[in-house]
Coordinates of all heavy atoms in Angstrom, one line a residue:
T148 N 40.2 14.6 11.6 CA 40.1 13.8 12.8 C 38.8 13.1 12.9 O 38.7 11.9 13.3 CB 40.3 14.7 14.1 OG1 41.6 15.3 13.9 CG2 40.3 13.9 15.3
K149 N 37.7 13.8 12.6 CA 36.3 13.2 12.6 C 36.2 12.0 11.6 O 35.6 11.1 11.9 CB 35.2 14.3 12.4 CG 35.1 15.2 13.6 CD 34.5 14.4 14.8 CE 34.3 15.3 16.0 NZ 34.0 14.4 17.1
K150 N 36.8 12.3 10.4 CA 36.7 11.2 9.4 C 37.4 10.0 9.9 O 37.0 8.9 9.7 CB 37.3 11.7 8.1 CG 36.4 12.7 7.4 CD 36.9 12.9 5.9 CE 37.9 14.1 6.0 NZ 38.3 14.5 4.6
K151 N 38.5 10.1 10.6 CA 39.3 8.9 11.2 C 38.5 8.3 12.4 O 38.6 7.2 12.6 CB 40.7 9.4 11.6 CG 41.5 9.7 10.4 CD 42.9 10.3 10.9 CE 43.7 10.7 9.6 NZ 44.8 11.6 10.0
Q152 N 37.9 9.2 13.2 CA 37.1 8.7 14.3 C 35.8 7.9 13.8 O 35.5 6.9 14.4 CB 36.6 9.9 15.1 CG 35.8 9.6 16.4 CD 35.3 10.8 17.1 OE1 35.6 11.9 16.8 NE2 34.6 10.5 18.1
F153 N 35.2 8.3 12.7 CA 34.0 7.6 12.2 C 34.2 7.2 10.8 O 33.5 7.7 9.9 CB 32.8 8.6 12.4 CG 32.5 9.1 13.8 CD1 32.7 10.4 14.1 CD2 32.1 8.2 14.8 CE1 32.4 10.8 15.4 CE2 31.9 8.6 16.1 CZ 32.0 10.0 16.3
P154 N 35.1 6.3 10.5 CA 35.4 6.0 9.1 C 34.2 5.5 8.3 O 34.1 5.7 7.1 CB 36.5 5.0 9.1 CG 36.5 4.4 10.4 CD 35.8 5.5 11.4
N155 N 33.3 4.8 8.9 CA 32.2 4.1 8.2 C 30.9 4.8 8.4 O 30.0 4.5 7.7 CB 32.1 2.7 8.8 CG 33.3 1.8 8.5 OD1 33.9 2.0 7.5 ND2 33.6 1.0 9.6
R156 N 30.8 5.8 9.3 CA 29.6 6.4 9.7 C 29.5 7.9 9.3 O 28.5 8.6 9.4 CB 29.1 6.2 11.1 CG 29.0 4.7 11.4 CD 28.4 4.5 12.9 NE 29.3 4.9 13.9 CZ 28.9 5.7 14.9 NH1 27.7 6.2 15.0 NH2 29.8 6.0 15.8
L157 N 30.5 8.4 8.8 CA 30.6 9.9 8.4 C 30.9 10.0 6.9 O 31.9 9.5 6.5 CB 31.6 10.6 9.3 CG 31.8 12.0 9.0 CD1 30.6 12.8 9.3 CD2 33.0 12.6 9.9
Q158 N 30.1 10.8 6.3 CA 30.3 11.2 4.9 C 30.5 12.7 4.9 O 29.7 13.4 5.4 CB 29.2 10.8 4.0 CG 28.9 9.3 4.0 CD 27.7 8.9 3.2 OE1 27.0 9.8 2.6 NE2 27.4 7.6 3.2
V159 N 31.5 13.2 4.3 CA 31.9 14.6 4.3 C 32.3 15.0 2.9 O 33.1 14.3 2.2 CB 33.1 14.9 5.3 CG1 33.4 16.4 5.3 CG2 32.7 14.5 6.7
H160 N 31.9 16.2 2.5 CA 32.5 16.8 1.3 C 32.5 18.4 1.6 O 31.8 18.8 2.5 CB 31.8 16.5 0.1 CG 30.4 17.1 -0.1 ND1 29.3 16.6 0.5 CD2 30.0 18.1 -0.9 CE1 28.2 17.4 0.1 NE2 28.6 18.2 -0.7
S161 N 33.3 19.1 0.9 CA 33.5 20.5 1.0 C 33.0 21.2 -0.2 O 33.7 21.3 -1.2 CB 34.9 20.8 1.3 OG 35.1 22.2 1.6
P162 N 31.8 21.8 -0.2 CA 31.3 22.5 -1.3 C 31.9 23.9 -1.5 O 31.9 24.4 -2.6 CB 29.8 22.7 -1.0 CG 29.6 22.6 0.5 CD 30.8 21.8 0.9
Y163 N 32.6 24.4 -0.5 CA 33.2 25.7 -0.5 C 34.5 25.5 0.3 O 34.7 24.5 1.0 CB 32.4 26.8 0.2 CG 31.0 26.8 -0.3 CD1 29.9 26.4 0.6 CD2 30.6 27.2 -1.5 CE1 28.6 26.4 0.1 CE2 29.3 27.3 -2.0 CZ 28.3 26.8 -1.1 OH 27.0 26.8 -1.5
G164 N 35.4 26.5 0.2 CA 36.7 26.4 0.8 C 36.8 25.9 2.2 O 37.5 25.0 2.6
A165 N 36.1 26.6 3.1 CA 36.2 26.3 4.6 C 34.8 25.9 5.1 O 34.6 26.2 6.2 CB 36.8 27.5 5.3
V166 N 34.0 25.3 4.3 CA 32.7 24.9 4.7 C 32.6 23.4 4.4 O 33.0 23.0 3.3 CB 31.6 25.7 4.0 CG1 30.2 25.1 4.4 CG2 31.6 27.1 4.3
Y167 N 32.0 22.7 5.3 CA 31.8 21.2 5.1 C 30.4 20.9 5.2 O 29.7 21.4 6.0 CB 32.6 20.4 6.1 CG 34.1 20.4 5.9 CD1 34.9 21.5 6.4 CD2 34.7 19.5 5.1 CE1 36.3 21.4 6.2 CE2 36.1 19.4 4.9 CZ 36.9 20.4 5.4 OH 38.2 20.4 5.2
K168 N 29.9 20.0 4.3 CA 28.7 19.3 4.5 C 28.9 17.9 4.9 O 29.7 17.2 4.4 CB 28.0 19.3 3.0 CG 26.8 18.5 2.9 CD 25.6 19.2 3.5 CE 24.3 18.2 3.3 NZ 23.1 18.8 3.4
M169 N 28.2 17.6 6.0 CA 28.4 16.2 6.6 C 27.1 15.5 6.7 O 26.1 16.1 6.9 CB 29.1 16.3 8.0 CG 28.3 16.9 9.0 SD 27.3 15.6 9.8 CE 26.8 16.3 11.3
M170 N 27.2 14.2 6.6 CA 26.1 13.3 6.9 C 26.7 12.3 7.8 O 27.7 11.6 7.5 CB 25.5 12.6 5.7 CG 24.4 11.7 6.1 SD 23.6 10.8 4.7 CE 22.5 12.2 4.2

Side-chain angles (χ1 to χ4, degrees):
T148 302
K149 287 292 176 189
K150 287 189 272 185
K151 290 174 186 163
Q152 181 181 358
F153 304 112
N155 299 321
R156 298 189 292 129
L157 178 62
Q158 298 174 2
V159 177
H160 73 284
S161 182
Y163 313 107
V166 176
Y167 286 87
K168 168 77 179 200
M169 69 84 165
M170 179 178 279

